[in-house]
Coordinates of all heavy atoms in Angstrom, one line a residue:
V1490 N 46.9 38.5 44.4 CA 45.9 37.5 44.7 C 46.5 36.1 44.6 O 46.4 35.2 45.4 CB 44.7 37.7 43.9 CG1 43.8 36.5 44.0 CG2 43.9 38.9 44.2
I1491 N 47.2 35.9 43.5 CA 47.8 34.6 43.2 C 48.8 34.2 44.3 O 48.9 33.1 44.8 CB 48.5 34.5 41.8 CG1 47.3 34.6 40.7 CG2 49.3 33.3 41.6 CD1 47.8 34.8 39.3
L1492 N 49.7 35.2 44.7 CA 50.7 34.9 45.7 C 50.0 34.6 47.1 O 50.4 33.7 47.8 CB 51.6 36.1 45.9 CG 52.6 36.3 44.8 CD1 53.4 37.6 44.9 CD2 53.6 35.1 44.7
I1493 N 48.9 35.3 47.4 CA 48.2 35.1 48.6 C 47.6 33.7 48.6 O 47.7 32.9 49.6 CB 47.2 36.1 48.9 CG1 47.8 37.5 49.2 CG2 46.2 35.7 50.0 CD1 46.9 38.6 49.3
I1494 N 47.0 33.3 47.5 CA 46.4 31.9 47.4 C 47.5 30.9 47.6 O 47.3 29.9 48.3 CB 45.6 31.8 46.1 CG1 44.4 32.7 46.1 CG2 45.3 30.3 45.8 CD1 43.7 32.8 44.8
V1495 N 48.6 31.1 47.0 CA 49.7 30.1 47.0 C 50.2 30.0 48.5 O 50.6 28.9 49.0 CB 50.8 30.4 46.0 CG1 52.0 29.6 46.3 CG2 50.3 30.2 44.6
A1496 N 50.3 31.2 49.1 CA 51.0 31.2 50.5 C 50.1 30.7 51.6 O 50.6 30.2 52.6 CB 51.3 32.7 50.8
V1497 N 48.8 30.8 51.5 CA 47.9 30.4 52.6 C 47.8 28.9 52.6 O 47.5 28.3 51.6 CB 46.5 31.0 52.4 CG1 45.6 30.5 53.5 CG2 46.6 32.5 52.5
P1498 N 48.1 28.3 53.8 CA 48.0 26.8 53.9 C 46.6 26.4 53.7 O 45.7 27.1 54.1 CB 48.5 26.5 55.3 CG 48.6 27.8 56.0 CD 48.5 28.9 55.0
G1499 N 46.4 25.2 53.2 CA 45.1 24.6 53.0 C 44.5 24.2 54.3 O 45.2 23.9 55.2
Q1500 N 43.2 24.2 54.3 CA 42.4 23.8 55.5 C 42.4 22.3 55.6 O 41.9 21.6 54.7 CB 41.0 24.4 55.5 CG 40.2 24.0 56.7 CD 38.8 24.6 56.6 OE1 38.6 25.6 56.0 NE2 37.9 23.9 57.3
E1501 N 42.9 21.8 56.7 CA 42.9 20.3 56.8 C 41.8 19.8 57.8 O 41.4 18.7 57.6 CB 44.3 19.9 57.4 CG 45.4 20.2 56.4 CD 46.8 19.8 56.9 OE1 46.9 19.0 57.8 OE2 47.8 20.3 56.3
K1502 N 41.4 20.6 58.7 CA 40.4 20.1 59.7 C 39.0 20.6 59.3 O 38.9 21.7 58.7 CB 40.8 20.6 61.1 CG 40.8 22.1 61.3 CD 41.2 22.5 62.7 CE 41.3 24.0 62.8 NZ 41.7 24.4 64.1
E1503 N 38.1 19.8 59.6 CA 36.7 20.1 59.3 C 36.1 21.0 60.4 O 36.4 20.8 61.6 CB 35.9 18.8 59.2 CG 34.5 19.0 58.6 CD 33.8 17.7 58.4 OE1 34.4 16.8 57.7 OE2 32.7 17.5 58.9
I1504 N 35.4 22.0 60.0 CA 34.8 22.9 61.0 C 33.3 22.5 61.2 O 32.6 22.5 60.3 CB 34.9 24.4 60.5 CG1 36.4 24.7 60.4 CG2 34.2 25.3 61.4 CD1 36.6 26.1 59.7
N1505 N 33.0 22.3 62.5 CA 31.6 22.0 62.8 C 31.1 23.0 63.9 O 31.8 23.9 64.3 CB 31.5 20.5 63.3 CG 32.3 20.2 64.5 OD1 32.5 21.1 65.4 ND2 32.8 19.0 64.6
M1506 N 29.9 22.8 64.3 CA 29.3 23.8 65.3 C 30.1 23.8 66.6 O 30.3 24.9 67.1 CB 27.8 23.4 65.6 CG 27.1 24.3 66.4 SD 26.9 26.0 65.7 CE 25.6 25.6 64.5
D1507 N 30.5 22.7 67.1 CA 31.3 22.7 68.3 C 32.6 23.5 68.2 O 33.0 24.3 69.1 CB 31.6 21.3 68.8 CG 30.3 20.5 69.2 OD1 29.4 21.2 69.6 OD2 30.3 19.3 69.1
I1508 N 33.3 23.3 67.1 CA 34.5 24.0 66.8 C 34.3 25.5 66.7 O 35.0 26.3 67.2 CB 35.3 23.5 65.6 CG1 35.8 22.0 65.9 CG2 36.4 24.4 65.1 CD1 36.3 21.3 64.7
I1509 N 33.2 25.9 66.0 CA 32.9 27.3 65.8 C 32.6 28.0 67.2 O 33.1 29.0 67.5 CB 31.7 27.5 64.9 CG1 32.1 27.1 63.4 CG2 31.1 28.9 64.9 CD1 30.9 27.0 62.5
L1510 N 31.8 27.3 68.0 CA 31.5 27.8 69.3 C 32.8 28.0 70.2 O 33.0 29.0 70.9 CB 30.5 26.9 70.1 CG 29.1 27.1 69.6 CD1 28.2 25.9 70.2 CD2 28.5 28.4 70.0
Y1511 N 33.7 27.0 70.1 CA 34.9 27.0 70.8 C 35.8 28.2 70.3 O 36.3 29.0 71.1 CB 35.7 25.7 70.6 CG 37.1 25.7 71.1 CD1 37.4 25.7 72.5 CD2 38.2 25.8 70.2 CE1 38.7 25.7 73.0 CE2 39.5 25.8 70.7 CZ 39.7 25.8 72.1 OH 41.0 25.8 72.5
L1512 N 35.9 28.4 69.0 CA 36.7 29.5 68.4 C 36.2 30.8 68.7 O 36.9 31.8 69.0 CB 36.9 29.3 66.9 CG 37.7 28.0 66.5 CD1 37.6 27.9 65.0 CD2 39.1 28.1 67.0
L1513 N 34.8 31.0 68.7 CA 34.2 32.3 69.0 C 34.5 32.7 70.4 O 34.4 33.9 70.7 CB 32.7 32.2 68.8 CG 32.2 32.1 67.3 CD1 30.7 31.9 67.2 CD2 32.6 33.4 66.5
N1514 N 34.7 31.8 71.3 CA 34.9 32.1 72.7 C 36.4 32.2 73.1 O 36.7 32.4 74.3 CB 34.2 31.1 73.6 CG 32.7 31.3 73.6 OD1 32.2 32.4 73.9 ND2 32.0 30.3 73.1
K1515 N 37.3 32.1 72.2 CA 38.7 32.3 72.5 C 39.1 33.7 72.7 O 38.6 34.6 71.9 CB 39.6 31.6 71.4 CG 39.5 30.1 71.5 CD 40.5 29.4 70.7 CE 41.8 29.5 71.5 NZ 42.8 28.6 71.3
T1516 N 40.0 34.0 73.6 CA 40.4 35.4 73.9 C 40.9 36.2 72.7 O 40.4 37.4 72.5 CB 41.5 35.4 75.0 OG1 40.9 34.7 76.1 CG2 41.8 36.8 75.4
P1517 N 41.7 35.7 71.8 CA 42.2 36.5 70.7 C 41.0 37.0 69.8 O 41.0 38.1 69.4 CB 43.1 35.6 69.9 CG 43.6 34.6 70.9 CD 42.5 34.4 71.9
F1518 N 40.0 36.1 69.6 CA 38.9 36.5 68.7 C 38.0 37.5 69.5 O 37.5 38.5 68.8 CB 38.1 35.3 68.3 CG 36.9 35.8 67.5 CD1 37.1 36.3 66.2 CD2 35.6 35.7 68.0 CE1 36.0 36.7 65.4 CE2 34.5 36.1 67.2 CZ 34.7 36.6 66.0
I1519 N 37.8 37.3 70.7 CA 37.0 38.3 71.5 C 37.7 39.7 71.5 O 37.0 40.7 71.3 CB 36.8 37.8 72.9 CG1 35.9 36.5 72.9 CG2 36.2 38.9 73.8 CD1 35.8 35.8 74.3
V1520 N 39.0 39.7 71.7 CA 39.7 41.0 71.6 C 39.6 41.6 70.2 O 39.3 42.8 70.0 CB 41.2 40.9 72.0 CG1 42.0 42.1 71.7 CG2 41.3 40.5 73.5
Y1521 N 39.8 40.8 69.2 CA 39.8 41.3 67.8 C 38.4 41.8 67.4 O 38.2 42.9 66.9 CB 40.2 40.2 66.8 CG 40.1 40.6 65.4 CD1 41.0 41.5 64.8 CD2 39.0 40.2 64.6 CE1 40.8 41.9 63.5 CE2 38.9 40.5 63.3 CZ 39.8 41.4 62.7 OH 39.7 41.8 61.4
S1522 N 37.3 41.0 67.7 CA 36.0 41.4 67.4 C 35.5 42.6 68.2 O 34.8 43.5 67.6 CB 35.0 40.2 67.5 OG 35.0 39.8 68.8
S1523 N 35.9 42.7 69.4 CA 35.6 43.9 70.2 C 36.3 45.2 69.6 O 35.6 46.2 69.5 CB 36.0 43.7 71.7 OG 35.4 42.6 72.2
S1524 N 37.5 45.0 69.3 CA 38.2 46.1 68.6 C 37.6 46.5 67.3 O 37.5 47.7 67.0 CB 39.7 45.8 68.4 OG 40.3 45.4 69.6
L1525 N 37.2 45.6 66.5 CA 36.5 45.8 65.3 C 35.2 46.5 65.5 O 34.9 47.5 64.8 CB 36.3 44.5 64.6 CG 36.1 44.5 63.1 CD1 37.2 45.2 62.3 CD2 35.9 43.1 62.6
L1526 N 34.4 46.1 66.5 CA 33.2 46.8 66.8 C 33.4 48.2 67.2 O 32.6 49.1 66.7 CB 32.4 46.0 67.9 CG 31.0 46.5 68.2 CD1 30.1 46.4 67.0 CD2 30.5 45.7 69.4
V1527 N 34.4 48.5 68.0 CA 34.7 49.9 68.4 C 35.1 50.7 67.2 O 34.6 51.8 67.0 CB 35.8 49.9 69.5 CG1 36.3 51.3 69.7 CG2 35.3 49.3 70.8
A1528 N 35.9 50.1 66.4 CA 36.4 50.8 65.1 C 35.2 51.1 64.2 O 35.1 52.2 63.7 CB 37.4 50.0 64.4
I1529 N 34.2 50.2 64.1 CA 33.0 50.4 63.3 C 32.2 51.6 63.9 O 31.7 52.5 63.1 CB 32.2 49.1 63.1 CG1 33.0 48.2 62.2 CG2 30.8 49.4 62.6 CD1 32.3 46.8 62.2
I1530 N 32.0 51.6 65.2 CA 31.2 52.6 65.8 C 31.9 54.0 65.6 O 31.2 55.0 65.3 CB 31.0 52.3 67.3 CG1 30.1 51.1 67.5 CG2 30.5 53.5 68.1 CD1 30.0 50.5 68.8
V1531 N 33.2 54.0 65.8 CA 33.9 55.3 65.6 C 33.8 55.8 64.2 O 33.5 57.0 63.9 CB 35.4 55.1 66.0 CG1 36.3 56.3 65.5 CG2 35.6 54.9 67.5
M1532 N 34.0 54.9 63.2 CA 33.9 55.3 61.8 C 32.4 55.7 61.4 O 32.2 56.6 60.6 CB 34.3 54.1 60.9 CG 35.8 54.0 60.9 SD 36.6 55.4 60.3 CE 38.3 55.1 60.8
L1533 N 31.4 55.0 62.0 CA 30.1 55.4 61.8 C 29.8 56.9 62.3 O 29.2 57.7 61.6 CB 29.1 54.5 62.5 CG 28.8 53.2 61.7 CD1 28.0 52.2 62.6 CD2 28.1 53.4 60.4
G1534 N 30.4 57.2 63.5 CA 30.3 58.5 64.0 C 31.0 59.5 63.1 O 30.5 60.6 62.9
L1535 N 32.1 59.2 62.6 CA 32.9 60.1 61.7 C 32.3 60.2 60.4 O 32.5 61.2 59.7 CB 34.4 59.6 61.6 CG 35.2 59.7 62.9 CD1 36.6 59.0 62.6 CD2 35.4 61.1 63.3
S1536 N 31.6 59.2 59.9 CA 31.0 59.2 58.6 C 30.0 60.3 58.3 O 30.0 60.8 57.2 CB 30.4 57.8 58.2 OG 29.2 57.6 58.9
R1537 N 29.3 60.7 59.3 CA 28.3 61.7 59.1 C 28.9 63.1 58.8 O 28.4 63.8 57.9 CB 27.4 61.8 60.4 CG 26.5 60.6 60.6 CD 25.6 60.9 61.7 NE 24.7 59.7 61.9 CZ 25.0 58.7 62.7 NH1 26.1 58.7 63.4 NH2 24.2 57.7 62.8

Side-chain angles (χ1 to χ4, degrees):
V1490 168
I1491 292 168
L1492 287 174
I1493 290 171
I1494 290 169
V1495 169
V1497 175
Q1500 179 182 333
E1501 296 178 17
K1502 60 183 177 182
E1503 193 172 305
I1504 297 174
N1505 59 33
M1506 185 65 75
D1507 293 332
I1508 292 172
I1509 291 170
L1510 286 169
Y1511 171 74
L1512 294 172
L1513 288 174
N1514 288 301
K1515 290 197 73 158
T1516 303
F1518 178 71
I1519 292 171
V1520 170
Y1521 175 74
S1522 59
S1523 299
S1524 302
L1525 201 56
L1526 183 61
V1527 168
I1529 289 171
I1530 291 168
V1531 167
M1532 287 297 165
L1533 281 172
L1535 292 173
S1536 71
R1537 290 186 180 91

